[in-house]
Amino acid sequence: SQRYLYAQVSLQDSDGIHRCGGSVVAPDFIITASHCAAADIQTVVVGVYDLSDYSYGNVEIFGVNYMYLHPDYNEGTFE
C-alpha cells in the first residue's frame, strides 16, 4: 500500500505534545523505545514534517489502542 510510506511518526501525549518518535513496521504497528510507554502516548501522527505546522503534507492522526512492552524491559533501569 502506498498510504504508509512514512518511516517515522510522532508519538504524542493527551495534550498533543511530541514525546517520542516511532517507526512504521506495518499499517497498524509502530515500534518505539520501551521507555516511551511511561510518556502516556495517546496519538500517532503520520506524515508531518514540522511539528509546529500541520498545514502541509498528508497528515493523519490515529489513537493508540495498545502498547506492548518487551518482556525483559526494566522500568527502573530503562534496560
Side-chain angles (χ1 to χ4, degrees):
S1 169
Q2 296 293 317
R3 186 172 179 187
Y4 299 102
L5 294 177
Y6 308 101
Q8 296 293 305
V9 299
S10 173
L11 303 176
Q12 301 182 357
D13 65 16
S14 58
D15 294 322
I17 297 171
H18 172 85
R19 295 296 182 184
C20 286
S23 296
V24 177
V25 294
D28 60 348
F29 200 91
I30 307 298
I31 192 167
T32 190
S34 289
H35 69 264
C36 294
D40 188 34
I41 302 300
Q42 298 293 314
T43 57
V44 176
V45 181
V46 182
V48 67
Y49 298 101
D50 180 348
L51 291 173
S52 66
D53 183 4
Y54 286 27
S55 67
Y56 63 92
N58 190 18
V59 177
E60 293 186 72
I61 300 173
F62 300 93
V64 174
N65 291 326
Y66 190 79
M67 293 185 82
Y68 300 91
L69 289 177
H70 190 283
D72 295 332
Y73 174 63
N74 182 323
E75 290 182 40
T77 63
F78 296 112
E79 294 180 358

